[in-house]
Amino acid sequence: MAPLLIVLLLALILIGAGFAVKLLLWIGIVVLVLWALGFLVRSTGSGGNRGRWYRW
């Protein structure tokens, strides 16, 4: 009975890790797209030069 529970627990951990990695991949893609779009939509400052769109 114990080996069956260990295999079931291992399977659940691997499924959960796979879901977390896939979720983090999609979050990373969204952040990358927003970062790239920031260069296209940044506003112009005084003197016509383009400023940074973020406040870091």
Side-chain angles (χ1 to χ4, degrees):
M1 184 71 171
L4 181 65
L5 290 176
I6 291 172
V7 170
L8 179 62
L9 182 62
L10 183 61
L12 289 175
I13 289 171
L14 290 175
I15 290 170
F19 177 74
V21 168
K22 193 171 190 177
L23 181 66
L24 288 175
L25 176 69
W26 283 110
I27 290 172
I29 289 172
V30 167
V31 168
L32 182 65
V33 167
L34 289 176
W35 177 75
L37 284 175
F39 286 106
L40 298 174
V41 297
R42 58 187 174 175
S43 62
T44 57
S46 61
N49 58 352
R50 290 187 174 263
R52 290 183 288 183
W53 63 278
Y54 51 87
R55 297 182 178 255
W56 298 350

